[in-house]
Amino acid sequence: MSGAASTQSRRAAWSSAAAWRGLFRDRPIVPLVGLLVLMIGAIRILQPDIINPGWVGVTLRAAIPLAILAACQTLTFLTGGIDLSVGAVASMSGFMVATLVGHQGLAVALLVPLLIAAIAGAVTGIGVGVFRVHPLIMTLGMSLVVLGLANVWQLIMVQTGSGVPADLRTLGSGTVGGILPFSLLVFVPLAAFILFMLRSTGFGRLLYAVGDNPVASRLAGVRSWQVLVVLYVLSAVLAAIAGFLYSGLTNVASVSLVDSAVLPSVAAAVIGGTSIMGGRGGFAGTMVGVLILTVLTSLLSSLGYPEAVRQILFGSIIVAVAAAYTRVTAES
Amino acid sequence: MRASPARSTGGSAILAAARRNAWTIGLLVFMALLLVFTKIIQPSYGAAGVQGLGSSVLPLALAAVGQAVVVISGGIDLSIGSMMALTSVVSATMMNERPEEFAIVVVISVLLLGLAIGAVNGTLAVVTRVPDIVVTLAMSFVWAGCALLVLKTPGGGSAKWLLSLVTGSVGIEWIPRAAVLLIVVVAIVWIPLRRSRLGLSIYAIGSNRLAAFRSGVPVGRTRVAAYMVTGMFAALGGLSLTASTGIGTPVPGPYTLMSVAAVVLGGVSLAGGRGGVFGAVAAVIILQLIRSDITFLNINPNLAVVVQGVILIGVVMIGSLVQIRRARA
C-alpha cells in the first residue's frame, strides 16, 4: 500500500514538474515575467526609495530603443541568422539626422538614413539569401562598410557642425508626467506590428518555416531568398529607427553611439527565449528580456556595484537562462 | 585521388598538396602582390615597415589562430577579445614593478590562466548544450567584467625583454621578430597538434559530429580541448598586447569579430572541419597591409574600414558561389 502511494505521489510530483517544464517551454514569458517581478521586488526591499513613477519612466526610456534593436535580433534569429550590423546602422542613422537636419529639414533628414539603411539591409539580405554567406560574416562585413562610410561622412561634414534636432530629443528623452516616455509613440505601433506580423501574416510564418527547416520550406515552395531580403531590409530599418531614438535619448551625434548596445540586444533576444538556431521564439519574450536586462542594470547601479560586477552577472544570467531553455526544449 | 600512393611521384604529391591548400596559396600570392604594390606606391617602405607590420599584426594574428582552432572544431568563440583583455591586465598587474626574471613566471601562469578560462568556456558549452555562440557571447561579458575587477583603468607594467620580443628584427633587418615569434609559437603548438590524435579529433567533430561520435571520438572532451587551445592563444594575444604597449588595458579591443573575419577570409569554414591556421594568419596580414596602403595612397583612412568590409563580403561571396556551383555540378 505504502509503496503504491509513494509511486502515486512521485508520479504527481513528476507530472507537476513536467507541467512546469511544459509551461516554461510553451509560455516562456510566464517564468520570465516572474523573474522580472522578483528583481523589482529585490530592488523594492534593498532600496525602497528608488521605485517611483520617475524610475519607471527612466527604465522604460532606456529599454525602448534596446527593445527595437532586440527586435532585429529576434526576427533574424527566427531564420537561424543574426544581425551584427544593427549597431553601425543605428549609429549611422542617428548621426546622419543630426548632420542633415540643419540644411534639409527634419523630414529629409529622417528619410535619407532610412533609405540608406534599407539599401544596406537589401545588400545584406542578398548576400545571405542569394549568395548563402553566413549571416554572422555578412552583417559583420556590412557593419564595417556602414561604419567606414559614416566616418567618411563625418569628415566631410566636420565644418557644418551638427546637433540632434529638438523634436528628436523630445521624442527620445521626453516623458508625459515623468512616467510615460514619448518614445512609446514610436514603440507601441512598432511592437504591435511585429507581434501581429509574426503571429498572423504569411511573412511571419515564413520566418519560422525558413528557420525551422530550410530544406522542408524550400521543398514546400518557399523562395527563401525573398524572405531573407525582406527580413534584413526590415531589420536595418528598425535599427535606423532605434538609432533616431538613441540619439534623441542621449543628445549625442556620434558614429559609434550604439555600438555598445549590439551585444545586449543579442542577449535580450536569447533571454527572451528565441532560439539562435532558428524556428522558435517571439517578440513578446524579447521585450521581457530587455526589461530584465534594463532592470538588472538599474538594480546593480542602485546597489552601488561597479560595472565589472554588472557585466559578470549579465553574462552569468544569459548562460543560466539559455541553459534552462535548452533543457526544457530538449526533453520535449 | 586517382594516383595511388605507390604510383605517386614527388611532382604529383606536391600538386596534390597545392590543390588541397589552394586557398592558402592564393592568399599568400595575394599577400606578396600587396607587398610589391606597397613598395611601388611607397618606395621608402622597407625593413622598418615590415618590422612595424610584424608588431602590429601580432595580437590579431594570435587571436585568429585561436579562433581558427575552435571554428575548425565546429564551434565559435566570441569571448576572445575579452579573454585577451583579462590576460593582458593580469599579466600587466603581475609584472608591475617586479624584476625582469619574474616575467617568465608571469608568462607561464598567464598561459595556464588562458587554458583554464578556455576550459570554462568549453565545459559550459558542452554541459549546458547551449549553442556555442550564445555561451561564448555571455562569457565575453563575464571575462570583460573580470578584467575590470583586476584593473579599473589601463595600467600595470611589463618586462623590457617582452617588448624586445615583439619588436625589432632577427638576423637581417627584413625579418621582424614578431613574425619569428608567431611562427615559432604556431610551430610548437599547432603543427604537433594537427598531427596528433587530438588534432584529427578536432577536425572530425567539426566535419561531422555524429560520425565522429560513432567512430569513437570523445566529442565533449575534444570540444573542451579545442576551447582550451583557443584560450591559450587568446592568452598569448593578451601577453603580446601587454608586451607591446607596456601596460594592460581592461577594455576588449576589436579582436573578437576581426578574428572571426580573418578566419573566414583564411579559408576556414564556419560550419567547421575545414581549413587551417596559416590561412587565417595570412588574412590578418592582408587586412593590415590594405590599411597601410590606403594611408600611403593618401586616401581617407576611414575608407580602409570600408575596403576591409567589402573585401570580407566579396571574398566570402565568391567562395560560397564556387561552393554552390560545385554542389550543383
Side-chain angles (χ1 to χ4, degrees):
Chain A
M1 281 300 276
S2 70
S6 84
T7 314
Q8 211 165 17
S9 74
R10 213 182 298 145
R11 186 169 297 157
W14 176 84
S15 75
S16 82
W20 273 105
R21 283 211 190 103
L23 179 71
F24 201 33
R25 185 177 62 237
D26 302 330
R27 297 242 168 278
I29 200 155
V30 177
L32 281 178
V33 170
L35 179 62
L36 183 62
V37 170
L38 212 70
M39 279 167 40
I40 295 176
I43 300 186
R44 181 99 190 122
I45 293 165
L46 295 166
Q47 301 272 311
D49 331 326
I50 285 192
I51 298 197
N52 53 36
W55 177 80
V56 174
V58 169
T59 308
L60 281 179
R61 219 172 53 181
I64 284 170
L66 181 60
I68 299 177
L69 288 187
C72 305
Q73 307 301 350
T74 308
L75 297 177
T76 45
F77 275 17
L78 286 177
T79 65
I82 188 170
D83 194 343
L84 293 181
S85 65
V86 292
V89 170
S91 309
M92 175 278 294
S93 68
F95 184 72
M96 291 282 283
V97 172
T99 49
L100 283 175
V101 71
H103 302 274
Q104 315 287 339
L106 190 59
V108 176
L110 289 173
L111 273 177
V112 169
L114 283 175
L115 195 67
I116 295 174
I119 293 170
V123 175
T124 308
I126 290 169
V128 175
V130 180
F131 290 86
R132 315 250 179 92
V133 177
H134 197 293
L136 188 74
I137 292 300
M138 193 63 212
T139 54
L140 174 61
M142 185 49 71
S143 77
L144 290 179
V145 172
V146 171
L147 173 72
L149 289 177
N151 267 315
V152 173
W153 175 252
Q154 182 177 32
L155 280 191
I156 297 171
M157 297 305 287
V158 75
Q159 277 95 13
T160 55
S162 63
V164 178
D167 295 343
L168 217 51
R169 283 208 303 272
T170 316
L171 188 63
S173 58
T175 51
V176 181
I179 307 172
L180 291 177
F182 285 132
S183 45
L184 279 175
L185 288 175
V186 177
F187 182 70
V188 171
L190 269 186
F193 166 69
I194 293 167
L195 287 170
F196 174 75
M197 184 187 77
L198 285 180
R199 265 183 212 159
S200 315
T201 68
F203 177 68
R205 305 319 300 178
L206 282 177
L207 290 182
Y208 284 94
V210 167
D212 194 38
N213 192 332
V215 178
S217 64
R218 183 168 51 94
L219 293 176
V222 177
R223 292 200 176 77
S224 64
W225 72 271
Q226 293 173 349
V227 177
L228 290 171
V229 170
V230 175
L231 164 68
Y232 282 97
V233 170
L234 180 64
S235 175
V237 169
L238 286 174
I241 295 171
F244 299 152
L245 292 184
Y246 268 112
S247 66
L249 177 65
T250 55
N251 193 18
V252 170
S254 144
V255 289
S256 57
L257 177 67
V258 190
D259 288 356
S260 58
V262 176
L263 296 186
S265 75
V266 174
V270 169
I271 290 178
T274 304
S275 164
I276 204 163
M277 312 302 275
R280 207 179 55 243
F283 188 53
T286 302
M287 287 192 279
V288 184
V290 169
L291 282 178
I292 287 177
L293 289 184
T294 319
V295 170
L296 178 70
T297 310
S298 164
L299 170 66
L300 293 174
S301 63
S302 76
L303 291 176
Y305 280 120
E307 168 76 9
V309 176
R310 192 175 72 79
Q311 292 206 6
I312 293 173
L313 273 175
F314 228 74
S316 313
I317 286 181
I318 301 169
V319 173
V321 174
Y325 280 125
T326 316
R327 180 141 253 173
V328 296
T329 48
E331 282 173 10
S332 60
Chain B
M1 295 300 130
R2 260 172 293 152
S4 70
R7 274 197 302 145
S8 79
T9 56
S12 76
I14 291 172
L15 216 67
R19 208 174 295 142
R20 261 203 317 277
N21 300 312
W23 190 270
T24 311
I25 292 170
L27 283 175
L28 288 176
V29 170
F30 187 50
M31 193 178 92
L33 287 177
L34 262 179
L35 272 173
V36 172
F37 179 70
T38 310
K39 183 74 188 162
I40 292 170
I41 58 169
Q42 185 78 6
S44 66
Y45 192 86
V50 176
Q51 281 174 26
L53 178 68
S55 309
S56 59
V57 300
L58 188 60
L60 182 56
L62 289 166
V65 172
Q67 189 70 266
V69 174
V70 73
V71 170
I72 288 170
S73 82
I76 191 168
D77 195 334
L78 294 189
S79 68
I80 282 192
S82 304
M83 291 197 286
M84 285 169 77
L86 175 58
T87 49
S88 164
V89 291
V90 167
S91 60
T93 321
M94 283 174 79
M95 283 191 283
N96 200 15
E97 293 169 11
R98 293 281 177 83
E100 292 276 298
E101 302 77 46
F102 183 69
I104 295 178
V105 182
V106 174
V107 169
I108 293 169
S109 40
V110 166
L111 289 183
L112 289 176
L113 173 70
L115 284 172
I117 55 183
V120 172
N121 283 348
T123 311
L124 275 175
V126 170
V127 171
T128 63
R129 283 188 264 158
V130 173
D132 298 51
I133 184 170
V134 173
V135 171
T136 54
L137 177 67
M139 293 315 284
S140 77
F141 288 109
V142 174
W143 304 133
C146 290
L148 275 174
L149 276 187
V150 175
L151 212 57
K152 270 209 187 63
T153 49
S158 171
K160 295 239 165 30
W161 64 267
L162 275 177
L163 176 65
S164 66
L165 216 56
V166 298
T167 49
S169 60
V170 177
I172 62 167
E173 58 183 359
W174 282 89
I175 304 173
R177 214 171 269 165
V180 175
L181 183 75
L182 183 66
I183 290 167
V184 168
V185 167
V186 172
I188 290 178
V189 181
W190 174 246
I191 293 173
L193 177 68
R194 185 161 182 174
R195 294 174 169 270
S196 70
R197 176 181 280 264
L198 176 63
L200 196 60
S201 302
I202 288 177
Y203 274 90
I205 63 168
S207 162
N208 188 333
R209 204 156 274 182
L210 188 62
F213 173 74
R214 288 186 175 155
S215 325
V217 175
V219 173
R221 250 187 291 158
T222 310
R223 283 177 71 194
V224 175
Y227 274 101
M228 287 172 76
V229 175
T230 303
M232 199 198 63
F233 273 105
L236 280 165
L239 278 171
S240 76
L241 281 177
T242 304
S244 56
T245 58
I247 53 169
T249 311
V251 180
Y255 298 107
T256 304
L257 292 178
M258 286 316 285
S259 73
V260 176
V263 158
V264 171
L265 279 182
V268 180
S269 158
L270 273 187
R274 216 184 272 160
V277 302
F278 295 106
V281 172
V284 171
I285 297 172
I286 288 172
L287 287 176
Q288 179 64 36
L289 270 176
I290 288 170
R291 188 172 277 248
S292 32
D293 278 358
I294 281 180
T295 321
F296 293 144
L297 285 171
N298 262 335
I299 301 174
N300 187 332
N302 291 306
L303 276 175
V305 184
V306 181
V307 172
Q308 284 181 344
V310 169
I311 285 184
L312 178 62
I313 294 172
V315 170
V316 176
M317 270 189 180
I318 293 168
S320 85
L321 254 195
V322 170
Q323 256 175 12
I324 293 172
R325 279 271 171 83
R326 212 178 276 163
R328 278 195 193 141

